[in-house]
Coordinates of all heavy atoms in Angstrom, one line a residue:
M1020 N 59.8 139.2 85.8 CA 61.0 139.4 85.0 C 61.7 138.1 84.6 O 62.1 137.9 83.5 CB 62.0 140.3 85.8 CG 63.0 140.9 85.0 SD 63.8 142.2 86.1 CE 64.8 142.9 84.9
L1021 N 61.7 137.1 85.6 CA 62.2 135.8 85.3 C 61.4 135.1 84.2 O 61.9 134.3 83.4 CB 62.4 135.0 86.5 CG 63.4 135.4 87.6 CD1 63.3 134.6 88.8 CD2 64.8 135.3 86.9
A1022 N 60.1 135.3 84.3 CA 59.2 134.6 83.3 C 59.4 135.1 81.9 O 59.1 134.4 80.9 CB 57.8 134.8 83.7
A1023 N 60.0 136.3 81.7 CA 60.3 136.8 80.4 C 61.5 136.2 79.7 O 61.7 136.4 78.6 CB 60.5 138.3 80.5
I1024 N 62.3 135.5 80.5 CA 63.5 134.8 79.9 C 63.0 133.7 79.0 O 62.3 132.8 79.5 CB 64.5 134.3 81.0 CG1 64.9 135.5 81.9 CG2 65.7 133.6 80.4 CD1 65.8 135.1 83.0
P1025 N 63.5 133.6 77.8 CA 63.0 132.5 76.9 C 63.5 131.2 77.4 O 64.6 131.1 77.9 CB 63.7 132.9 75.5 CG 64.1 134.3 75.6 CD 64.3 134.6 77.1
E1026 N 62.7 130.1 77.2 CA 63.1 128.8 77.6 C 64.4 128.3 77.1 O 65.1 127.7 77.8 CB 61.9 127.8 77.3 CG 60.7 128.0 78.2 CD 59.6 127.0 78.0 OE1 60.0 125.9 77.5 OE2 58.5 127.3 78.3
P1027 N 64.7 128.5 75.8 CA 66.0 128.1 75.3 C 67.2 128.7 76.0 O 68.2 128.0 76.2 CB 66.0 128.5 73.8 CG 64.6 128.6 73.4 CD 63.9 129.1 74.7
V1028 N 67.0 129.9 76.5 CA 68.1 130.6 77.2 C 68.3 129.9 78.6 O 69.4 129.6 79.0 CB 67.9 132.1 77.4 CG1 68.9 132.7 78.3 CG2 67.8 132.8 76.0
V1029 N 67.2 129.6 79.2 CA 67.3 128.9 80.5 C 67.9 127.5 80.3 O 68.7 127.1 81.1 CB 65.9 128.8 81.2 CG1 65.9 128.0 82.4 CG2 65.3 130.2 81.4
G1030 N 67.4 126.8 79.3 CA 68.0 125.5 79.0 C 69.5 125.5 78.7 O 70.2 124.7 79.2
A1031 N 69.9 126.5 78.0 CA 71.3 126.6 77.6 C 72.1 126.9 78.9 O 73.2 126.4 79.1 CB 71.6 127.7 76.6
A1032 N 71.6 127.8 79.7 CA 72.3 128.1 81.0 C 72.4 126.9 81.9 O 73.5 126.6 82.5 CB 71.6 129.3 81.7
G1033 N 71.3 126.1 82.0 CA 71.4 124.9 82.7 C 72.4 123.9 82.2 O 73.1 123.2 82.9
L1034 N 72.4 123.8 80.9 CA 73.4 122.9 80.2 C 74.8 123.3 80.5 O 75.6 122.4 80.8 CB 73.1 122.9 78.7 CG 74.0 121.9 77.9 CD1 73.6 120.5 78.3 CD2 73.7 122.1 76.4
I1035 N 75.1 124.5 80.5 CA 76.4 125.0 80.8 C 76.8 124.8 82.3 O 77.9 124.3 82.6 CB 76.6 126.5 80.5 CG1 76.6 126.7 79.0 CG2 77.8 127.1 81.1 CD1 76.5 128.1 78.5
I1036 N 75.8 125.0 83.2 CA 76.1 124.7 84.6 C 76.4 123.2 84.8 O 77.3 122.9 85.5 CB 74.9 125.2 85.4 CG1 74.8 126.7 85.5 CG2 75.0 124.6 86.9 CD1 73.6 127.3 86.1
Y1037 N 75.6 122.3 84.2 CA 75.8 120.9 84.4 C 77.2 120.5 83.7 O 77.9 119.6 84.3 CB 74.7 120.1 83.8 CG 73.4 120.2 84.6 CD1 72.2 120.6 84.0 CD2 73.4 120.0 86.0 CE1 71.1 120.7 84.7 CE2 72.3 120.1 86.7 CZ 71.1 120.4 86.1 OH 70.0 120.5 86.8
A1038 N 77.5 121.1 82.6 CA 78.8 120.8 82.0 C 80.0 121.2 82.9 O 81.0 120.5 83.0 CB 78.9 121.5 80.6
V1039 N 79.9 122.4 83.5 CA 80.9 122.9 84.5 C 81.0 121.9 85.6 O 82.1 121.5 86.1 CB 80.6 124.3 84.9 CG1 81.5 124.7 86.1 CG2 80.8 125.3 83.8
I1040 N 79.9 121.5 86.2 CA 79.9 120.5 87.3 C 80.6 119.2 86.9 O 81.4 118.6 87.6 CB 78.5 120.3 87.9 CG1 78.0 121.6 88.5 CG2 78.5 119.1 88.8 CD1 76.5 121.6 88.9
A1041 N 80.2 118.7 85.7 CA 80.8 117.5 85.2 C 82.3 117.6 85.0 O 83.1 116.7 85.3 CB 80.2 117.1 83.9
T1042 N 82.8 118.8 84.5 CA 84.2 119.0 84.3 C 84.9 119.0 85.6 O 86.0 118.5 85.7 CB 84.4 120.3 83.5 OG1 83.7 120.3 82.3 CG2 85.8 120.6 83.2
M1043 N 84.3 119.6 86.6 CA 85.0 119.7 87.9 C 85.1 118.2 88.5 O 86.1 117.9 89.1 CB 84.2 120.6 88.9 CG 84.3 122.0 88.5 SD 83.2 123.1 89.4 CE 83.6 122.8 91.1
G1044 N 84.0 117.4 88.3 CA 84.1 116.0 88.7 C 85.2 115.3 88.0 O 85.9 114.5 88.6
F1045 N 85.3 115.5 86.7 CA 86.4 114.8 85.9 C 87.7 115.2 86.5 O 88.7 114.4 86.5 CB 86.3 115.1 84.4 CG 85.1 114.4 83.8 CD1 84.4 115.1 82.8 CD2 84.6 113.2 84.2 CE1 83.3 114.6 82.2 CE2 83.5 112.6 83.6 CZ 82.8 113.3 82.6
G1046 N 87.9 116.5 86.8 CA 89.1 117.0 87.4 C 89.4 116.3 88.7 O 90.6 115.9 89.0
M1047 N 88.4 116.2 89.5 CA 88.7 115.5 90.8 C 89.1 114.0 90.6 O 90.0 113.5 91.3 CB 87.4 115.5 91.7 CG 87.2 116.9 92.3 SD 85.9 116.8 93.6 CE 84.5 117.4 92.6
L1048 N 88.4 113.4 89.7 CA 88.7 112.0 89.4 C 90.1 111.8 88.8 O 90.8 110.8 89.0 CB 87.7 111.3 88.4 CG 86.3 111.0 89.1 CD1 85.4 110.5 88.0 CD2 86.5 110.0 90.2
S1049 N 90.5 112.8 88.0 CA 91.9 112.7 87.4 C 93.0 112.8 88.4 O 94.1 112.4 88.1 CB 92.0 113.7 86.3 OG 92.1 115.0 86.8
R1050 N 92.7 113.4 89.5 CA 93.8 113.6 90.5 C 93.9 112.3 91.4 O 94.9 112.1 92.1 CB 93.5 114.7 91.4 CG 93.7 116.1 90.8 CD 93.6 117.2 91.7 NE 92.3 117.4 92.3 CZ 91.3 118.2 91.8 NH1 91.5 118.8 90.7 NH2 90.1 118.3 92.4
E1051 N 93.0 111.4 91.2 CA 93.0 110.1 92.0 C 93.7 109.0 91.2 O 93.7 109.0 90.0 CB 91.6 109.6 92.4 CG 90.9 110.5 93.4 CD 91.6 110.5 94.7 OE1 92.1 109.4 95.1 OE2 91.7 111.5 95.4
D1052 N 94.4 108.1 91.9 CA 95.1 107.0 91.2 C 94.0 105.9 91.1 O 93.9 105.1 92.1 CB 96.3 106.6 92.0 CG 97.0 105.4 91.3 OD1 96.8 105.2 90.1 OD2 97.9 104.8 92.0
L1053 N 93.3 105.8 90.0 CA 92.3 104.8 89.8 C 92.8 103.5 89.3 O 92.0 102.5 89.3 CB 91.2 105.4 88.8 CG 90.5 106.7 89.3 CD1 89.6 107.1 88.2 CD2 89.8 106.5 90.6
G1054 N 94.1 103.4 88.9 CA 94.6 102.2 88.4 C 95.1 101.2 89.5 O 95.2 100.0 89.3
H1055 N 95.3 101.7 90.7 CA 95.8 100.8 91.8 C 94.9 101.0 93.0 O 94.3 102.0 93.2 CB 97.2 101.2 92.2 CG 98.2 101.1 91.0 ND1 98.6 99.9 90.5 CD2 98.8 102.1 90.3 CE1 99.4 100.1 89.5 NE2 99.6 101.4 89.4
G1056 N 94.8 99.9 93.8 CA 94.0 100.0 95.0 C 92.5 99.8 94.7 O 92.1 99.4 93.6
T1057 N 91.7 100.3 95.6 CA 90.2 100.1 95.4 C 89.5 101.3 94.9 O 88.3 101.3 94.6 CB 89.6 99.7 96.8 OG1 89.9 100.8 97.7 CG2 90.2 98.4 97.3
N1058 N 90.2 102.4 94.6 CA 89.5 103.6 94.1 C 88.8 103.4 92.8 O 87.7 103.8 92.6 CB 90.5 104.8 93.9 CG 91.1 105.3 95.2 OD1 90.5 105.1 96.3 ND2 92.2 106.0 95.2
G1059 N 89.4 102.7 91.9 CA 88.8 102.4 90.6 C 87.6 101.5 90.7 O 86.6 101.6 90.0
I1060 N 87.7 100.6 91.7 CA 86.6 99.6 91.9 C 85.4 100.3 92.6 O 84.3 99.9 92.4 CB 87.1 98.4 92.8 CG1 88.2 97.7 92.1 CG2 86.0 97.5 93.2 CD1 88.9 96.7 92.9
V1061 N 85.7 101.4 93.3 CA 84.6 102.2 93.9 C 83.9 103.1 92.8 O 82.7 103.2 92.7 CB 85.1 103.0 95.1 CG1 84.0 104.0 95.6 CG2 85.5 102.0 96.2
V1062 N 84.8 103.7 92.0 CA 84.2 104.7 91.1 C 83.4 104.1 90.0 O 82.3 104.6 89.6 CB 85.4 105.5 90.5 CG1 85.0 106.4 89.3 CG2 86.0 106.4 91.6
A1063 N 83.9 103.0 89.4 CA 83.2 102.3 88.3 C 81.7 101.9 88.6 O 80.8 102.3 87.9 CB 84.0 101.2 87.7
P1064 N 81.5 101.1 89.7 CA 80.1 100.8 90.0 C 79.3 102.0 90.4 O 78.1 102.1 90.1 CB 80.2 99.8 91.1 CG 81.6 99.3 91.1 CD 82.4 100.4 90.5
A1065 N 79.9 103.0 91.1 CA 79.1 104.2 91.5 C 78.7 105.0 90.2 O 77.5 105.4 90.2 CB 80.0 105.1 92.4
L1066 N 79.5 105.0 89.2 CA 79.1 105.7 88.0 C 78.0 104.9 87.3 O 77.0 105.5 86.8 CB 80.3 105.8 87.0 CG 81.2 107.0 87.3 CD1 82.4 106.9 86.4 CD2 80.6 108.3 87.3
C1067 N 78.1 103.6 87.3 CA 77.0 102.8 86.7 C 75.7 103.0 87.4 O 74.7 103.1 86.8 CB 77.4 101.3 86.7 SG 78.8 100.9 85.6
V1068 N 75.7 102.9 88.7 CA 74.5 103.1 89.5 C 73.9 104.5 89.3 O 72.7 104.7 89.2 CB 74.8 102.8 91.0 CG1 73.6 103.3 91.9 CG2 75.1 101.4 91.3
G1069 N 74.8 105.5 89.2 CA 74.4 106.9 88.9 C 73.7 107.0 87.5 O 72.9 107.9 87.3
L1070 N 74.2 106.2 86.6 CA 73.6 106.4 85.2 C 72.4 105.5 85.0 O 71.7 105.7 84.0 CB 74.7 106.0 84.2 CG 75.9 107.0 84.1 CD1 77.0 106.5 83.2 CD2 75.3 108.4 83.6
L1071 N 72.1 104.5 85.8 CA 71.0 103.7 85.7 C 69.6 104.4 85.5 O 68.8 104.1 84.7 CB 70.9 102.7 86.8 CG 71.7 101.4 86.6 CD1 71.6 100.5 87.9 CD2 71.2 100.6 85.4
P1072 N 69.4 105.4 86.4 CA 68.1 106.2 86.2 C 68.0 106.8 84.8 O 66.9 107.1 84.4 CB 68.1 107.2 87.3 CG 69.0 106.6 88.3 CD 70.1 105.9 87.6
V1073 N 69.1 107.2 84.2 CA 69.0 107.8 82.9 C 68.8 106.8 81.8 O 67.9 107.0 80.9 CB 70.4 108.6 82.6 CG1 70.4 109.1 81.2 CG2 70.6 109.6 83.7
F1074 N 69.5 105.7 81.9 CA 69.4 104.7 80.8 C 68.3 103.7 81.0 O 67.8 103.1 80.0 CB 70.7 104.0 80.6 CG 71.8 104.9 80.1 CD1 72.9 105.1 80.9 CD2 71.6 105.5 78.9 CE1 73.9 106.0 80.4 CE2 72.6 106.3 78.4 CZ 73.7 106.6 79.1
A1075 N 67.9 103.4 82.2 CA 66.8 102.4 82.5 C 65.9 102.9 83.6 O 65.9 102.3 84.7 CB 67.4 101.1 82.9
P1076 N 65.1 104.0 83.4 CA 64.3 104.5 84.5 C 63.2 103.6 85.0 O 62.8 103.6 86.1 CB 63.7 105.8 83.9 CG 63.8 105.6 82.4 CD 65.0 104.7 82.2
E1077 N 62.8 102.6 84.1 CA 61.7 101.7 84.5 C 62.2 100.6 85.5 O 61.5 99.9 86.1 CB 61.1 101.0 83.3 CG 62.1 100.1 82.5 CD 63.1 100.7 81.6 OE1 63.0 102.0 81.4 OE2 64.0 100.0 81.1
M1078 N 63.5 100.6 85.7 CA 64.1 99.6 86.6 C 63.6 99.7 88.0 O 63.5 98.7 88.7 CB 65.7 99.7 86.5 CG 66.4 98.7 87.3 SD 68.1 98.9 87.0 CE 68.7 97.7 88.1
Y1079 N 63.3 100.9 88.4 CA 62.9 101.1 89.8 C 61.4 101.2 90.0 O 60.9 101.6 91.0 CB 63.6 102.4 90.3 CG 65.1 102.4 90.2 CD1 65.8 103.2 89.4 CD2 65.8 101.4 91.0 CE1 67.2 103.2 89.4 CE2 67.2 101.4 90.9 CZ 67.9 102.3 90.1 OH 69.2 102.2 90.1
A1080 N 60.6 100.9 89.0 CA 59.2 101.0 89.0 C 58.5 100.2 90.1 O 57.6 100.6 90.7 CB 58.6 100.7 87.6
G1081 N 59.1 99.0 90.4 CA 58.5 98.2 91.4 C 58.9 98.5 92.8 O 58.4 97.8 93.8
L1082 N 59.8 99.4 93.0 CA 60.2 99.8 94.4 C 59.2 100.7 95.1 O 58.4 101.4 94.5 CB 61.6 100.5 94.3 CG 62.7 99.6 93.8 CD1 64.0 100.5 93.7 CD2 63.0 98.4 94.6
P1083 N 59.3 100.7 96.4 CA 58.4 101.7 97.2 C 58.8 103.1 96.8 O 59.9 103.4 96.2 CB 58.8 101.4 98.6 CG 59.5 100.1 98.7 CD 60.0 99.9 97.3
V1084 N 57.9 104.0 97.1 CA 58.1 105.4 96.7 C 59.4 106.0 97.3 O 60.1 106.7 96.6 CB 56.9 106.3 97.2 CG1 57.1 107.8 96.9 CG2 55.6 105.8 96.5
W1085 N 59.7 105.7 98.6 CA 60.9 106.3 99.1 C 62.1 105.8 98.4 O 63.1 106.5 98.2 CB 61.0 106.0 100.6 CG 61.2 104.5 101.0 CD1 60.2 103.6 101.2 CD2 62.4 103.8 101.0 NE1 60.7 102.4 101.4 CE2 62.1 102.5 101.3 CE3 63.7 104.2 100.9 CZ2 63.1 101.5 101.5 CZ3 64.7 103.2 101.0 CH2 64.4 101.9 101.3
A1086 N 62.1 104.5 98.0 CA 63.3 104.0 97.3 C 63.4 104.5 95.9 O 64.5 104.8 95.4 CB 63.2 102.4 97.2
R1087 N 62.3 104.8 95.2 CA 62.3 105.4 93.9 C 62.8 106.8 94.0 O 63.5 107.3 93.1 CB 60.9 105.4 93.3 CG 60.6 104.1 92.6 CD 59.3 104.1 91.9 NE 58.3 104.1 93.0 CZ 57.0 104.2 92.8 NH1 56.5 104.4 91.7 NH2 56.1 104.1 93.9
T1088 N 62.5 107.5 95.1 CA 63.0 108.9 95.3 C 64.5 108.8 95.4 O 65.2 109.7 94.8 CB 62.4 109.5 96.6 OG1 61.0 109.5 96.4 CG2 62.9 110.9 96.8
V1089 N 65.1 107.9 96.1 CA 66.5 107.8 96.3 C 67.2 107.3 95.1 O 68.2 107.9 94.5 CB 66.9 106.9 97.5 CG1 68.4 106.7 97.6 CG2 66.4 107.6 98.8
F1090 N 66.8 106.2 94.5 CA 67.4 105.5 93.4 C 67.0 106.1 92.1 O 67.7 105.9 91.1 CB 67.2 104.0 93.4 CG 67.8 103.4 94.6 CD1 67.0 102.8 95.6 CD2 69.2 103.3 94.8 CE1 67.6 102.2 96.7 CE2 69.8 102.7 95.9 CZ 69.0 102.1 96.8
G1091 N 65.9 106.9 92.0 CA 65.5 107.5 90.8 C 66.3 108.7 90.4 O 66.3 109.1 89.3
S1092 N 67.1 109.2 91.3 CA 68.0 110.3 91.1 C 69.4 109.8 90.9 O 69.9 109.1 91.8 CB 68.0 111.3 92.2 OG 69.1 112.2 92.2
G1093 N 70.0 110.0 89.7 CA 71.3 109.5 89.5 C 72.4 110.0 90.4 O 73.3 109.3 90.9
V1094 N 72.2 111.3 90.8 CA 73.2 111.9 91.8 C 73.1 111.2 93.1 O 74.1 110.8 93.7 CB 73.0 113.4 91.9 CG1 73.9 114.0 93.0 CG2 73.2 114.1 90.6
A1095 N 71.9 111.0 93.6 CA 71.7 110.4 94.9 C 72.1 109.0 94.9 O 72.8 108.5 95.8 CB 70.2 110.5 95.4
A1096 N 71.7 108.2 93.9 CA 72.0 106.8 93.8 C 73.5 106.6 93.6 O 74.1 105.7 94.3 CB 71.3 106.2 92.6
G1097 N 74.2 107.4 92.8 CA 75.6 107.3 92.6 C 76.4 107.6 93.9 O 77.4 107.0 94.2
A1098 N 76.0 108.7 94.5 CA 76.7 109.1 95.8 C 76.5 108.1 96.9 O 77.5 107.7 97.6 CB 76.1 110.5 96.3
L1099 N 75.3 107.5 97.0 CA 75.0 106.5 98.0 C 75.9 105.2 97.7 O 76.5 104.7 98.6 CB 73.6 106.1 98.0 CG 73.1 105.1 99.1 CD1 73.4 105.6 100.5 CD2 71.6 104.8 98.9
A1100 N 75.9 104.8 96.4 CA 76.7 103.7 96.0 C 78.2 103.9 96.3 O 78.9 103.0 96.8 CB 76.5 103.4 94.6
A1101 N 78.7 105.1 96.0 CA 80.1 105.4 96.3 C 80.4 105.4 97.8 O 81.5 104.9 98.2 CB 80.5 106.8 95.7
V1102 N 79.6 105.9 98.6 CA 79.8 106.0 100.0 C 79.8 104.5 100.6 O 80.7 104.1 101.4 CB 78.7 106.8 100.8 CG1 78.8 106.6 102.3 CG2 79.0 108.3 100.4
V1103 N 78.8 103.7 100.2 CA 78.7 102.3 100.7 C 79.9 101.5 100.2 O 80.6 100.8 101.0 CB 77.4 101.7 100.2 CG1 77.4 100.2 100.5 CG2 76.2 102.3 100.9
L1104 N 80.3 101.6 98.9 CA 81.4 100.9 98.4 C 82.7 101.3 99.1 O 83.6 100.5 99.4 CB 81.5 101.0 96.9 CG 80.5 100.3 96.1 CD1 80.5 100.7 94.6 CD2 80.7 98.8 96.2
A1105 N 82.9 102.6 99.3 CA 84.1 103.1 99.9 C 84.2 102.6 101.4 O 85.3 102.2 101.8 CB 84.2 104.6 99.9
A1106 N 83.1 102.6 102.0 CA 83.1 102.0 103.4 C 83.4 100.5 103.4 O 84.2 100.1 104.2 CB 81.7 102.3 104.1
V1107 N 82.8 99.8 102.5 CA 83.0 98.3 102.4 C 84.5 98.0 102.1 O 85.2 97.2 102.8 CB 82.1 97.7 101.4 CG1 82.5 96.3 101.1 CG2 80.7 97.7 101.9
F1108 N 85.0 98.7 101.1 CA 86.4 98.4 100.7 C 87.4 99.0 101.7 O 88.5 98.5 101.8 CB 86.7 98.9 99.3 CG 86.1 98.0 98.2 CD1 85.1 98.5 97.3 CD2 86.6 96.8 98.1 CE1 84.6 97.7 96.4 CE2 86.1 95.9 97.1 CZ 85.1 96.4 96.2
G1109 N 87.0 100.1 102.3 CA 87.9 100.6 103.4 C 88.0 99.7 104.5 O 89.1 99.6 105.2
R1110 N 87.0 99.0 104.8 CA 87.0 98.0 105.9 C 87.5 96.7 105.5 O 88.3 96.1 106.3 CB 85.5 97.8 106.4 CG 85.3 96.8 107.5 CD 85.9 97.3 108.8 NE 84.9 98.0 109.5 CZ 85.1 98.5 110.7 NH1 86.2 98.3 111.3 NH2 84.2 99.2 111.3
L1111 N 87.2 96.2 104.3 CA 87.6 94.9 103.9 C 88.8 94.9 103.0 O 89.4 93.8 102.7 CB 86.5 94.2 103.1 CG 85.2 94.0 103.9 CD1 84.1 93.4 103.1 CD2 85.4 93.1 105.2
G1112 N 89.2 96.0 102.5 CA 90.3 96.1 101.5 C 91.7 95.8 102.1 O 91.8 95.5 103.3
P1113 N 92.7 95.7 101.3 CA 94.0 95.4 101.7 C 94.5 96.5 102.7 O 94.3 97.7 102.5 CB 94.9 95.3 100.5 CG 94.1 96.1 99.5 CD 92.7 96.0 99.8
R1114 N 95.2 96.0 103.7 CA 95.8 97.0 104.6 C 97.2 97.4 104.1 O 98.0 96.6 103.7 CB 96.0 96.3 106.0 CG 94.7 95.8 106.6 CD 93.9 96.9 107.2 NE 92.7 96.4 107.7 CZ 91.5 97.0 107.6 NH1 91.4 98.0 106.8 NH2 90.4 96.5 108.1
E1115 N 97.4 98.7 104.1 CA 98.7 99.2 103.7 C 99.5 99.4 105.0 O 99.1 100.1 105.9 CB 98.5 100.5 103.0 CG 97.8 100.4 101.6 CD 97.7 101.7 100.9 OE1 98.4 102.7 101.3 OE2 96.9 101.8 100.0
E1116 N 100.7 98.9 105.0 CA 101.6 99.1 106.1 C 102.2 100.5 106.0 O 102.6 101.0 105.0 CB 102.7 98.0 106.1 CG 102.2 96.7 106.4 CD 103.4 95.7 106.5 OE1 104.5 96.1 106.8 OE2 103.1 94.5 106.3
K1117 N 102.3 101.1 107.2 CA 103.0 102.4 107.2 C 104.5 102.2 107.1 O 105.0 101.2 107.6 CB 102.7 103.1 108.6 CG 101.2 103.4 108.7 CD 101.0 104.2 110.0 CE 99.5 104.5 110.1 NZ 99.2 105.2 111.4
P1118 N 105.1 103.1 106.3 CA 106.6 102.9 106.2 C 107.3 103.1 107.5 O 107.0 103.9 108.3 CB 107.0 104.0 105.2 CG 105.9 104.9 105.2 CD 104.6 104.2 105.6
R1119 N 108.2 102.2 107.8 CA 109.0 102.2 109.0 C 110.1 103.3 108.9 O 110.6 103.5 107.8 CB 109.6 100.9 109.3 CG 108.6 99.8 109.5 CD 109.3 98.5 109.8 NE 108.3 97.5 110.0 CZ 108.6 96.3 110.5 NH1 109.8 96.0 110.9 NH2 107.6 95.4 110.6
A1120 N 110.4 103.9 110.0 CA 111.5 104.9 110.0 C 112.8 104.2 109.7 O 113.1 103.1 110.3 CB 111.5 105.6 111.3
K1121 N 113.6 104.8 108.9 CA 114.9 104.2 108.5 C 115.9 104.5 109.7 O 115.8 105.6 110.3 CB 115.5 104.8 107.2 CG 114.6 104.5 106.0 CD 115.2 105.1 104.8 CE 114.4 104.7 103.6 NZ 114.9 105.3 102.4
P1122 N 116.8 103.6 110.0 CA 117.7 103.9 111.0 C 118.6 105.0 110.6 O 119.0 105.2 109.4 CB 118.5 102.6 111.1 CG 118.2 101.8 109.9 CD 116.9 102.3 109.4
V1123 N 119.0 105.8 111.6 CA 119.8 107.0 111.3 C 121.3 106.5 111.1 O 121.8 105.8 111.9 CB 119.8 108.0 112.5 CG1 120.7 109.2 112.3 CG2 118.3 108.4 112.7
E1124 N 121.9 106.9 110.0 CA 123.3 106.6 109.8 C 124.1 107.8 110.0 O 123.6 108.9 109.8 CB 123.4 106.1 108.3 CG 122.7 104.8 108.1 CD 122.9 104.3 106.7 OE1 123.7 104.9 105.9 OE2 122.1 103.4 106.3
G1125 N 125.3 107.6 110.4 CA 126.2 108.8 110.6 C 126.3 109.1 112.0 O 125.9 108.4 112.9
P1126 N 126.7 110.3 112.3 CA 126.8 110.7 113.7 C 125.5 110.8 114.4 O 124.5 111.1 113.8 CB 127.5 112.1 113.7 CG 127.4 112.6 112.2 CD 127.1 111.4 111.4
V1127 N 125.5 110.5 115.7 CA 124.3 110.6 116.5 C 123.9 112.0 116.7 O 124.8 112.9 116.9 CB 124.6 109.9 117.9 CG1 123.3 110.0 118.8 CG2 125.0 108.5 117.7
A1128 N 122.6 112.3 116.7 CA 122.2 113.7 116.9 C 122.6 114.2 118.2 O 122.5 113.5 119.3 CB 120.7 113.7 116.8
G1129 N 123.1 115.4 118.3 CA 123.6 116.0 119.5 C 125.1 115.8 119.8 O 125.6 116.5 120.6
A1130 N 125.7 114.8 119.1 CA 127.1 114.6 119.3 C 127.9 115.5 118.4 O 127.5 115.7 117.3 CB 127.5 113.1 119.1
E1131 N 129.0 116.0 118.9 CA 129.8 116.8 118.1 C 130.8 115.9 117.2 O 131.2 114.9 117.7 CB 130.7 117.7 119.0 CG 129.9 118.7 119.8 CD 130.8 119.6 120.6 OE1 131.9 119.9 120.2 OE2 130.3 120.1 121.6
V1132 N 131.0 116.4 116.1 CA 131.8 115.7 115.1 C 133.3 115.8 115.6 O 133.7 116.9 115.9 CB 131.7 116.2 113.7 CG1 132.6 115.5 112.7 CG2 130.3 116.1 113.2
G1133 N 134.0 114.7 115.7 CA 135.4 114.7 116.1 C 135.6 114.6 117.6 O 136.7 114.5 118.0
S1134 N 134.5 114.5 118.4 CA 134.7 114.4 119.8 C 134.8 112.9 120.1 O 134.2 112.1 119.5 CB 133.6 115.1 120.6 OG 132.3 114.4 120.2
A1135 N 135.5 112.6 121.2 CA 135.6 111.2 121.6 C 134.4 110.7 122.3 O 133.8 111.5 123.1 CB 136.8 111.0 122.5
P1136 N 134.0 109.5 122.1 CA 132.8 109.0 122.8 C 133.0 108.8 124.3 O 133.9 108.7 124.9 CB 132.5 107.6 122.2 CG 133.7 107.3 121.4 CD 134.5 108.5 121.3

């Protein structure tokens, strides 16, 4: 029954599925602040590494078979690059200080208003 489905229909369904996945990825990226911090620095090279197998597949021809398997897939290469870059920048990136608690102004908690100290 599956073999009876015409190839253009299967291709169109696959194209729609990939478009939905790409749209979801764009949605996740749009929720991140890529203009500040290291998030943008992680995303840009990861996208480049993920697109390399599409635009320059011969680039990995000289690598061993296991490396071609990993880097020849844009999804695997991009995900690996993102994980490595996030770990590197998470370890070496700028440290953000936690905000300090502001001193409490006004009456002390537990004290009644108008009572003598």
